[in-house]
Amino acid sequence: MSETREHAETGPPVRPRGWARRHRALLIAVVVLLAGAALVGLRPWESCGAGLHTVGADEESVGSSYVCVGLNLDSGPVRDDDPLDPLEKLIKGRNDTVGDNFKTIVVLENLAPDPKVDSQPFSFVRREVQGAITAAWPKKGPPGFKLLLANYGSNADHWRVVADEIIAAAAAQRIVAVTDVGISSENGRALVAELSRHGIATIGATVTADNMNTDPRGARIENFFRVGPTNTDEARAAAAYIAEHGFQRVMMIQGVSKEDTYATTLAEAFKNSSKIPVIFTKTYDVKPLADTSREAYLRGLFSRWHNDICGARPDLIYFAGRGLDLGALVAALAGDGACEGLDSVTVMTGDDASTLAGNPLELNKDIGVRIRYTALAYPDQWEMFTADPAYPTYKKNHDNFVAEFTGTHGFPKGELWDGAAMIAHDAVAAAVEAALRNVSSDPVSVADMVRSIDCNSPVPGATGFVAFDQTTGNQLDKALPILSIDADGSVHPVDLVWSRGRPLNTEPDCGR
């Protein structure tokens, strides 16, 4: 080997251009992207803002389908093409103006319902948020309140994520209460119990299952309250209606999913309340299906029951299940052939039927079907109460709400028809009142202030006066409209009853 060759092989190596030098433009772009994302609280491989976590997404592909669960601290989108975006922007705009001396109310729901899995439609959720906004920011209301939305996903499957984020943010955000809570479920109970364990109050709106105020072990959840009725309240009202109108042959169709406490406790409450024996019961349980929707599956199942129903010849079917499921039952009853001796039937159910209303229904085909349900609220409900001396007060409170909803915030009056905005408003109104009564900004001090909202000092609401039972946390003397749904989906009032048989504050023993 020559000296020249040896020198060349043993001399200093020739260094190639480094990756950074060769891809300088790309590196600069990545740095800029990272810096920009940091300013808005996002990482570029994530789609969700502060307090939120991505689920159901391919995290390697920015822009793929995603859902954000958790506490929406930035009031940004929680899914692709989020239909709540206009309301989230409205909330963000108001939150940005409250200054440093503020208190926060959280609205907890499944903010991105999947129609293949969830029984609650998005339109119902939208109206709940509208009602919450109306209560948080009335035209002449007190300043300094923020509103944050929290999403726990389908069936509250991500309740632990939401609970952790709310607990972590409670002190810094000065959280007054968590409101709404969505549908009754075992996951929802676990979430509410966890918040209560950390001293955070929850005020349910549409959760009616009797056991929502107890934890999974059966112990009372001390910091849980609700402005809506219980299923026992609804079943008692339904049983009275059935007895009054002379129905004799009552059949029950019951959802038995262990996770859906709304259906199971509604069925149990009706059995305990009805003076007319149930002659026949059919049960169903729906699991998430990969190849078909919940509604399509149940339409097929209920069709299989046609001969059984014809044989039982009920004059009334009490349906202890979700509103979406009721739609499948009605389609099967009306469209699967005539029954000898059964020309028509009344189907009565609970408040979840409001999610079915608004959609055309074929009620007058092979078997005529009449739908009745106990509702959480109805905009014209006080017109069935005009003879009572308390009517002017209840009507005035409701009219004040409508003026704020349509005038101050410009929401369409047509959005009030199913009561979702009204009941959500009252939950937030109770939280606002508790915060105003409280001299402390510590979240753990709020529950005692909510407890002080009793029959002697109730909160005027859109659905009536709000007052809480000191033992159970349930609403006292809730007004319950009984409504019908026509073939065009329109809703009409049939009756107005009270959960304890009388309006609030008409007797000295109002707290009992």
Side-chain angles (χ1 to χ4, degrees):
M1 183 180 292
S2 68
E3 183 178 351
T4 305
R5 173 81 178 271
E6 183 178 343
H7 180 75
E9 291 180 349
T10 59
V14 178
R15 296 182 178 178
R17 295 174 63 196
W19 185 93
R21 293 182 65 190
R22 287 182 285 116
H23 300 85
R24 185 176 182 182
L26 177 59
L27 182 62
I28 291 172
V30 170
V31 171
V32 170
L33 178 62
L34 286 169
L39 290 176
V40 296
L42 293 176
R43 291 180 289 178
W45 57 90
E46 292 184 339
S47 304
C48 302
L52 295 172
H53 303 259
T54 307
V55 295
D58 177 3
E59 295 187 358
E60 296 180 357
S61 175
V62 176
S64 63
S65 179
Y66 69 93
V67 173
C68 303
V69 297
L71 180 62
N72 196 352
L73 293 170
D74 296 332
S75 298
V78 298
R79 56 178 261 191
D80 288 329
D81 301 321
D82 189 354
L84 272 179
D85 184 62
L87 293 179
E88 286 157 346
K89 287 178 178 175
L90 188 159
I91 290 170
K92 178 173 174 53
R94 294 298 298 259
N95 287 347
D96 287 346
T97 65
V98 298
D100 296 330
N101 186 23
F102 65 87
K103 293 181 180 180
T104 298
I105 297 169
V106 176
V107 178
L108 171 65
E109 247 291 8
N110 175 13
L111 299 176
D114 182 349
K116 292 183 179 179
V117 177
D118 299 311
S119 61
Q120 188 161 273
F122 167 76
S123 58
F124 188 88
V125 176
R126 181 186 67 241
R127 290 189 281 271
E128 287 180 300
V129 175
Q130 290 172 339
I133 289 170
T134 303
W137 298 308
K139 185 175 183 180
K140 296 181 180 179
F145 280 96
K146 290 174 65 175
L147 204 62
L148 292 176
L149 305 185
N151 181 31
Y152 57 27
S154 296
N155 197 38
D157 282 342
H158 303 283
W159 72 267
R160 174 62 69 178
V161 173
V162 177
D164 289 347
E165 290 292 346
I166 291 174
I167 292 164
Q173 293 294 329
R174 302 170 197 164
I175 292 176
V176 173
V178 176
T179 65
D180 198 345
V181 191
I183 65 171
S184 303
S185 70
E186 288 298 307
N187 287 339
R189 289 174 70 198
L191 191 158
V192 169
E194 182 67 9
L195 294 178
S196 179
R197 195 169 68 83
H198 287 82
I200 299 172
T202 55
I203 304 176
T206 59
V207 282
T208 59
D210 286 77
N211 62 0
M212 275 300 299
N213 62 350
T214 60
D215 67 20
R217 297 173 300 173
R220 163 82 167 98
I221 301 174
E222 293 298 327
N223 298 321
F224 172 79
F225 309 86
R226 63 176 127 199
V227 299
T230 64
N231 279 347
T232 292
D233 293 333
E234 295 196 38
R236 189 183 299 121
Y241 177 87
I242 290 168
E244 182 181 350
H245 288 80
F247 294 100
Q248 296 296 320
R249 296 183 60 80
V250 177
M251 174 184 174
M252 178 182 287
I253 294 178
Q254 173 188 349
V256 293
S257 170
K258 293 181 179 178
E259 183 58 38
D260 188 358
T261 55
Y262 167 81
T264 55
T265 63
L266 185 63
E268 188 64 26
F270 181 75
K271 291 174 186 176
N272 293 334
S273 301
S274 179
K275 297 179 181 179
I276 301 172
V278 174
I279 60 170
F280 190 46
T281 298
K282 299 285 282 187
T283 64
Y284 70 94
D285 187 1
V286 185
K287 302 291 191 298
L289 303 172
D291 60 345
T292 189
S293 68
R294 177 186 182 112
E295 185 174 13
Y297 168 76
L298 286 177
R299 176 66 174 86
L301 175 65
F302 294 151
S303 291
R304 297 284 182 179
W305 295 357
H306 191 265
N307 288 339
D308 292 338
I309 296 173
C310 288
R313 290 181 288 107
D315 53 10
L316 184 136
I317 297 174
Y318 190 79
F319 186 77
R322 293 289 172 183
L324 180 68
D325 306 346
L326 175 61
L329 173 66
V330 168
L333 282 173
D336 286 346
C339 286
E340 184 177 351
L342 185 63
D343 296 328
S344 64
V345 64
T346 296
V347 178
M348 189 152 200
T349 187
D351 66 275
D352 204 65
S354 63
T355 61
L356 177 67
N359 301 304
L361 299 167
E362 293 185 339
L363 302 180
N364 301 305
K365 294 180 67 179
D366 300 326
I367 299 176
V369 180
R370 295 177 296 273
I371 300 177
R372 303 287 186 269
Y373 71 98
T374 47
L376 300 177
Y378 182 70
D380 292 329
Q381 67 187 45
W382 304 119
E383 299 310 312
M384 295 179 285
F385 188 57
T386 55
D388 195 280
Y391 164 76
T393 302
Y394 283 90
K395 182 70 162 57
K396 178 182 177 182
N397 292 338
H398 176 262
D399 289 348
N400 289 341
F401 158 75
V402 173
E404 296 286 358
F405 187 87
T406 60
T408 301
H409 294 286
F411 298 135
K413 189 174 183 179
E415 294 279 68
L416 297 175
W417 66 269
D418 64 356
M422 295 168 62
I423 199 76
H425 167 276
D426 287 3
V428 173
V432 169
E433 178 63 22
L436 294 176
R437 295 183 185 185
N438 196 6
V439 297
S440 172
S441 61
D442 191 324
V444 302
S445 68
V446 179
D448 279 339
M449 296 300 151
V450 181
R451 265 184 283 274
S452 74
I453 300 173
D454 57 19
C455 60
N456 296 308
S457 55
V459 174
T463 67
F465 282 101
V466 175
F468 300 112
D469 185 289
Q470 300 298 291
T471 303
T472 64
N474 294 331
Q475 161 75 298
L476 285 170
D477 301 312
K478 179 74 179 68
L480 288 167
I482 295 178
L483 307 180
S484 67
I485 306 177
D486 287 352
D488 61 359
S490 61
V491 174
H492 304 282
V494 174
D495 201 355
L496 181 71
V497 297
W498 300 85
S499 63
R500 298 197 180 191
R502 53 179 169 74
L504 185 67
N505 272 345
T506 61
E507 299 289 343
D509 62 341
C510 64
R512 294 184 184 178

